[in-house]
Amino acid sequence: MKNEIDAQYEYMEKVNKINTGKNLKYAIYTMGCQLNENDSEKICGMLENMGYSKTEEVASADFVIFNTCCVRENAEDKLFGKIGEMKRQKEERGTILAIGGCMMQEKHIVDKLHKSYPFVDIIFGTHTMHKLPEDIYHILERKNKIEDVIDIDGEIYEGLPIKRNDATKASVTIMYGCNNFCTYCIVPYVRGRERSRKPSDILKEIESLASEGYKEITLLGQNVNSYDGGNGYKFSDLLRDVNKIEGIEKIRFVSPHPKDFKDDVIDAICECDKVSKIIHLPLQSGSSNVLKVMNRRYTKEQYLDLVEKMKKKIPNVVFSTDIIVGFPGETEEDFEDTLDVVRKVNFEQVFMFIYSRRVGTPADKMENQVPEEIKHERFDRLKALVESQIEENNKKYIGTIQKVLVEGRSKNNIDMLTGRTDSNKVVIFEGKEEWINQVIDIKIVSEHMWYLKGEIL
Ligand code: SAH
Ligand code: SF4
Ligand code: F3S
């Protein structure tokens, strides 16, 4: 049987032939997490191979693609609004409209698309993204609608073209899917079971990124520390091997699961000088009762013990986290436990979410849903605490010298350069073009909530 990816390259060539000389443009909306963004980079790679070039102006695009997310409700409202806006452009311009990503793995969403938005040309899921060239070819040839969603776990396909968004930092997906089934979460249903890429494929990709000049790598997966490279090769082995790659200066990873954060990973973080010392450790809730119903499989105490262990073993370690407020049955006391953990750990960054009911998840069926106004009131209290901590933490940076990976010109102030510290804080400072994509020492002179200001030494 012909290799699936070779077959797709043939379709890319066929579409490219059809498109030649037409100067066609595409626009892409990426609505989800970093994995979704990494998928979008592959979608862009395929589209460019087919003769489309990228535009930020949707109105002038001949091909529009939405890469969707369904982890929270507001993403859905946003998508349907945007699809509605596309109707006229399609009629006037004949723009091809493709919708892909996690939300397309949900049957009720695809049904709604067929019923209310019949003008969508291509619907594809997370397991069939690589077949986009074939789908586009059929649309161009036959002009009838295509739905290409499968419900079984997709295979891992290597070798798709990729067009990256950034020239300094790159994301590398190391595993797909999730086996954890936290009771609030839709991801395991739309991304399937865990499948790890081969270590050799991952290392080859990072080596080639290093040779292209990339300095920072983020290893991606829903639960990276259950990475299984085969023959006993674990996430800690991967960290060590990536750390050896010349040219790469910074290694980050998202997300590990606290229940799987074993000593071998902590030891690897200590040993590997390039691994960032800000660890993203999703808490979700500080209450052992809530954590149990969430199926997180750790308690408040186990989480705090893990943080303490890491603080002891890893010099200068700091943490970021994800927290959900208003999970079904969350009492005032449970919420106080969350605030308590936030105070104790003193996170550098907290991604805060209001619990959102997801069709098909166990938590959606729980009867003790927390009223909206209580969720919002708790969210505001958590936000106030987090912001006061960030302000305090930022002060500690003033006068320190930070190694900053320079990413480019600041979007808000073109005269300034922007980069990030090891702890992922944005730093802006005056500097020369040639520092871009270098790691340089910067003295922090002031703090401004969401960024620090610095000076060259
Ligand atoms: N696998 C990762 C991240 C998954 S999604 C992890 O376990 O950490 C990113 C974040 O979205 C989660 O960490 C969680 O905080 C949030 N999230 C997931 N489902 C949610 C829901 N139904 N409502 C609100 N937030 C949710
Ligand atoms: Fe969702 Fe939990 Fe899996 Fe993260 S670990 S993707 S929160 S089920
Ligand atoms: Fe990511 Fe959203 Fe899918 S968070 S895995 S794009 S549901």
Side-chain angles (χ1 to χ4, degrees):
M1 200 182 93
K2 199 168 14 166
N3 173 314
E4 177 69 44
I5 293 302
D6 288 347
Q8 295 307 319
Y9 271 96
E10 281 175 21
Y11 282 113
M12 283 186 239
E13 224 179 281
K14 284 186 196 168
V15 174
N16 192 305
K17 254 196 203 128
I18 300 174
N19 286 346
T20 300
K22 294 188 183 151
N23 187 25
L24 298 176
K25 302 238 174 338
Y26 74 94
I28 184 162
Y29 283 109
T30 304
M31 307 174 107
C33 61
Q34 293 183 62
L35 280 154
N36 190 248
E37 272 173 32
N38 192 229
D39 284 347
S40 281
E41 292 182 322
K42 291 172 192 156
I43 292 170
C44 293
M46 290 188 271
L47 289 172
E48 305 240 339
N49 262 24
M50 288 183 272
Y52 295 96
S53 59
K54 193 171 180 174
T55 175
E56 302 297 326
E57 255 178 68
V58 182
S60 65
D62 307 283
F63 192 101
V64 173
I65 190 154
F66 295 92
N67 192 11
T68 62
C69 167
C70 53
V71 80
R72 285 171 294 275
E73 206 166 2
N74 47 12
E76 284 167 20
D77 303 340
K78 215 162 115 188
L79 174 75
F80 289 124
K82 288 207 181 295
I83 299 178
E85 288 167 22
M86 284 303 301
K87 189 165 186 243
R88 239 182 77 204
Q89 182 174 338
K90 270 196 67 67
E91 283 162 3
E92 285 169 7
R93 234 190 122 87
T95 301
I96 300 174
L97 180 56
I99 324 261
C102 292
M103 215 190 279
M104 298 306 106
Q105 297 293 141
E106 295 185 290
K107 193 177 173 298
H108 68 283
I109 298 283
V110 174
D111 289 347
K112 181 166 175 178
L113 279 179
H114 284 312
K115 198 166 156 257
S116 309
Y117 306 90
F119 53 87
V120 175
D121 298 291
I122 302 174
I123 295 173
F124 64 98
T126 56
H127 306 300
T128 45
M129 182 188 89
H130 63 284
K131 281 172 67 193
L132 190 61
E134 183 175 344
D135 295 339
I136 296 179
Y137 177 72
H138 290 313
I139 283 287
L140 293 176
E141 283 290 290
R142 294 200 250 114
K143 309 226 181 294
N144 51 354
K145 257 172 91 85
I146 288 181
E147 182 190 321
D148 193 1
V149 180
I150 55 168
D151 211 12
I152 50 166
D153 293 350
E155 285 178 43
I156 293 180
Y157 293 107
E158 298 291 345
L160 284 179
I162 184 158
K163 182 178 187 289
R164 296 189 181 268
N165 292 331
D166 195 289
T168 301
K169 305 183 289 185
S171 296
V172 174
T173 301
I174 63 166
M175 58 190 298
Y176 298 87
C178 180
N179 291 353
N180 288 315
F181 290 93
C182 303
T183 53
Y184 50 80
C185 187
I186 194 76
V187 171
Y189 304 90
V190 296
R191 287 270 174 182
R193 298 293 68 71
E194 287 176 4
R195 289 146 284 153
S196 296
R197 286 176 70 196
K198 277 197 238 138
S200 56
D201 288 328
I202 297 170
L203 294 170
K204 221 167 41 197
E205 181 176 348
I206 299 175
E207 276 158 13
S208 101
L209 286 164
S211 70
E212 289 168 45
Y214 283 89
K215 296 290 190 304
E216 181 176 309
I217 297 296
T218 302
L219 305 173
L220 298 180
Q222 293 299 355
N223 184 3
V224 289
N225 44 16
S226 62
Y227 173 79
D228 177 7
N231 301 321
Y233 188 101
K234 293 190 289 200
F235 183 59
S236 49
D237 299 309
L238 185 66
L239 281 180
R240 289 194 176 90
D241 282 342
V242 178
N243 197 62
K244 286 182 208 144
I245 297 177
E246 219 173 296
I248 298 302
E249 308 220 16
K250 181 77 55 205
I251 304 162
R252 303 185 191 275
F253 55 88
V254 279
S255 291
H257 194 300
K259 79 174 164 59
D260 298 315
F261 219 116
K262 300 283 153 41
D263 286 352
D264 65 311
V265 178
I266 301 178
D267 292 340
I269 296 169
C270 288
E271 274 168 45
C272 297
D273 57 322
K274 297 174 183 175
V275 173
S276 166
K277 302 303 181 267
I278 183 166
I279 308 296
H280 185 67
L281 196 62
L283 170 67
Q284 311 303 0
S285 167
S287 153
S288 297
N289 299 331
V290 173
L291 286 167
K292 189 154 196 282
V293 190
M294 283 179 162
N295 192 30
R296 290 291 290 177
R297 286 172 276 174
Y298 53 85
T299 61
K300 174 185 184 184
E301 290 69 32
Q302 284 167 332
Y303 185 93
L304 286 171
D305 286 350
L306 177 61
V307 165
E308 273 319 301
K309 193 198 293 183
M310 285 203 248
K311 282 185 176 169
K312 271 201 199 104
K313 277 190 156 183
I314 310 170
N316 301 320
V317 72
V318 290
F319 297 91
S320 61
T321 200
D322 290 353
I323 293 176
I324 297 175
V325 172
F327 181 81
E330 183 189 73
T331 62
E332 177 59 26
E333 212 181 340
D334 292 323
F335 178 63
E336 289 288 342
D337 271 329
T338 298
L339 297 179
D340 186 44
V341 175
V342 171
R343 279 189 207 102
K344 286 188 170 130
V345 180
N346 194 8
F347 295 103
E348 285 283 312
Q349 211 177 358
V350 182
F351 299 93
M352 295 167 271
F353 306 106
I354 290 177
Y355 169 70
S356 167
R357 296 173 78 158
R358 304 288 69 205
V359 175
T361 61
D364 180 44
K365 298 188 193 83
M366 292 176 189
E367 275 165 18
N368 45 0
Q369 301 289 328
V370 175
E372 283 304 313
E373 62 278 11
I374 295 183
K375 287 195 220 171
H376 282 91
E377 182 257 341
R378 286 182 189 158
F379 183 86
D380 291 343
R381 278 159 66 201
L382 174 64
K383 187 161 168 269
L385 171 63
V386 166
E387 287 183 359
S388 73
Q389 284 188 322
I390 290 177
E391 229 169 316
E392 272 311 299
N393 281 337
N394 281 353
K395 285 187 193 145
K396 290 187 207 141
Y397 282 86
I398 296 177
T400 62
I401 292 159
Q402 298 287 326
K403 291 211 173 307
V404 172
L405 173 58
V406 187
E407 291 170 13
R409 297 242 154 245
S410 163
K411 282 202 184 90
N412 302 326
N413 183 348
I414 197 81
D415 297 330
M416 306 286 267
L417 293 178
T418 179
R420 281 174 192 263
T421 63
D422 176 68
S423 58
N424 222 2
K425 289 263 179 220
V426 175
V427 182
I428 65 164
F429 49 95
E430 272 175 41
K432 299 187 203 116
E433 203 73 25
E434 61 255 37
W435 296 347
I436 294 172
N437 208 21
Q438 309 274 334
V439 177
I440 54 172
D441 283 336
I442 295 283
K443 184 175 173 185
I444 305 303
V445 293
S446 61
E447 54 91 11
H448 306 260
M449 194 75 195
W450 303 119
Y451 67 95
L452 305 170
K453 222 175 204 169
E455 280 173 6
I456 186 75
L457 280 181

